[in-house]
Amino acid sequence: QVQVVESGGGLVQAGGSLRLSCAASGSILRINDMGWYRQAPGKQRELVALITSGGSINYADFVKGRFTISRDNAKNTVYLQMNNLKAEDTAVYYCHAVITEPFFLRTLDAWGQGTLVTVSS
């Protein structure tokens, strides 16, 4: 059993900052890729940022220069620092982790329940 839990969402004014956290727990041998996705009302879920186990990072063009993803492997945690937030960043943000479990070495896709970020203009 694996759990992924996000925290840190909330209401912020345009130009402000928020930091999201996501912690994975349970039967974990190894966490591979970790990432943040978001889904705005009426839109499809989209990738925001991704960080591999080796530290390689990809950002969506719409957050480059404003958001920073990082991870703490010792804590099985990934972070998303969001600066200079815009109204269009309003969405539910989901954490995703690709996890290898220790018993059968299966690779699992684990999603958090989402955390709402609302940016007022």
Side-chain angles (χ1 to χ4, degrees), residues 3 5 26 38-40 44 54 59 61-63 70 74 77 82-83 101 108-109 112 117-119 121:
Q3 274 194 318
V5 180
R38 72 184 187 186
Q39 187 167 19
Q44 289 189 329
Y59 292 105
D61 286 343
F62 52 78
V63 302
S70 61
T77 299
M82 305 185 293
N83 298 328
E101 57 85 26
L108 309 174
D109 278 304
V117 172
T118 303
V119 184
S121 56

Side-chain angles (χ1 to χ4, degrees), residues 22-99:
C22 168
S25 62
S27 298
I28 298 172
L29 174 65
R30 181 176 60 249
I31 301 179
N32 306 297
D33 295 351
M34 300 187 82
W36 290 95
Y37 292 72
R38 72 184 187 186
Q39 187 167 19
K43 295 189 176 181
Q44 289 189 329
R45 190 173 299 188
E46 59 186 356
L47 174 68
V48 175
L50 176 74
I51 183 167
T52 69
S53 57
S56 296
I57 292 173
N58 285 313
Y59 292 105
D61 286 343
F62 52 78
V63 302
K64 284 182 179 177
R66 301 189 298 126
F67 292 10
T68 302
I69 189 171
S70 61
R71 64 189 283 173
D72 184 335
N73 292 327
K75 296 181 179 179
N76 290 339
T77 299
V78 63
Y79 306 96
L80 186 68
Q81 177 66 43
M82 305 185 293
N83 298 328
N84 190 22
L85 282 160
K86 305 175 181 180
E88 52 263 42
D89 293 319
T90 295
V92 177
Y93 284 70
Y94 296 91
C95 177
H96 174 251
V98 180
I99 294 172

Side-chain angles (χ1 to χ4, degrees), residues 11-27:
L11 174 64
V12 64
Q13 287 189 331
S17 298
L18 281 175
R19 188 190 194 209
L20 305 183
S21 299
C22 168
S25 62
S27 298

